[in-house]
Amino acid sequence: MPKSEWFEKLGKGRSMKKLDAYSVSIGVLGAVDTFLTATVILVPVWVTFIAWASFFILGGKSSGLKQSIASNLTGIVIASLTLLAITALGANPFIAAVCVGLGSAAMVQASKVPLLTVIPAIVWGFASTVGTTVATGVPITTVGLANPGLVAAAAMILGGLFGYLSEFWGDAMTTSEVTAVRNQTRA
């Protein structure tokens, strides 16, 4: 079935403007995300929203999802290594500053990889890992699923998937495809 027919059947002649459709899809899925992260998938909801925004900033669709998750996870790896170095070298302001400076430079260097060209998406992964570490009070040296790097990674992947779903659902309710079909049939 051509995409335009699918959208026509889905919309059954009714459609929404893009911002209205995205308000519905993001609003409903934002509530679902908040409920799930508070009850079933115990990851910081604010990290999922950062990843959700990262997905849209990187253009959405499957390519945006792939680039966003890869960039966010790269930031998480760099942040985890930075936090491990700070812990190993003795946590004091001078050591922390030098390690964070090196981690920041590593994020810029990582952007040389074609999939990781958007530096802010890498930084969001880095910042989410540091934030998760501080917010949970769990050290980066923790072994197991409670490790803040793993928690931040799970949250960012979940947020990217929510972004993808909200875009798909929002697009399914928009006017562009349906309007085009209507205009073709009226001509």
Side-chain angles (χ1 to χ4, degrees):
M1 173 184 308
K3 187 177 179 183
S4 58
E5 288 180 34
W6 184 82
F7 277 102
E8 183 68 22
K9 286 187 177 189
L10 182 68
K12 296 182 181 175
R14 287 177 249 134
S15 58
M16 302 174 81
K17 292 179 181 174
K18 190 169 189 166
L19 283 180
D20 295 333
Y22 277 26
S23 294
V24 171
S25 68
I26 292 172
V28 171
L29 291 174
V32 170
D33 179 25
T34 301
F35 180 78
L36 285 178
T37 57
T39 58
V40 179
I41 305 169
L42 301 178
V43 296
V45 69
W46 54 271
V47 176
T48 67
F49 277 90
I50 290 171
W52 199 325
S54 176
F55 163 79
F56 276 105
I57 291 294
L58 292 171
K61 310 293 180 205
S62 60
S63 62
L65 179 63
K66 183 173 65 175
Q67 188 176 13
S68 180
I69 288 176
S71 299
N72 295 162
L73 293 180
T74 299
I76 289 169
V77 168
I78 293 170
S80 296
L81 293 173
T82 300
L83 292 171
L84 285 170
I86 291 170
T87 302
L89 297 173
N92 68 57
F94 178 76
I95 294 293
V98 170
C99 290
V100 170
L102 291 171
S104 299
M107 287 189 281
V108 176
Q109 288 297 307
S111 71
K112 291 179 178 177
V113 175
L115 187 61
L116 308 174
T117 57
V118 181
I119 296 171
I122 300 171
V123 174
W124 293 325
F126 188 102
S128 294
T129 305
V130 174
T132 298
T133 302
V134 172
T136 62
V138 176
I140 196 69
T141 54
T142 301
V143 177
L145 295 178
N147 179 285
L150 293 177
V151 171
M156 298 212 92
I157 291 170
L158 182 65
L161 293 174
F162 267 109
Y164 186 82
L165 287 174
S166 66
E167 179 185 54
F168 181 80
W169 184 16
D171 286 347
M173 295 186 290
T174 58
T175 59
S176 59
E177 293 284 338
V178 174
T179 301
V181 171
R182 282 187 192 146
N183 290 339
Q184 288 175 355
T185 58
R186 289 181 183 162

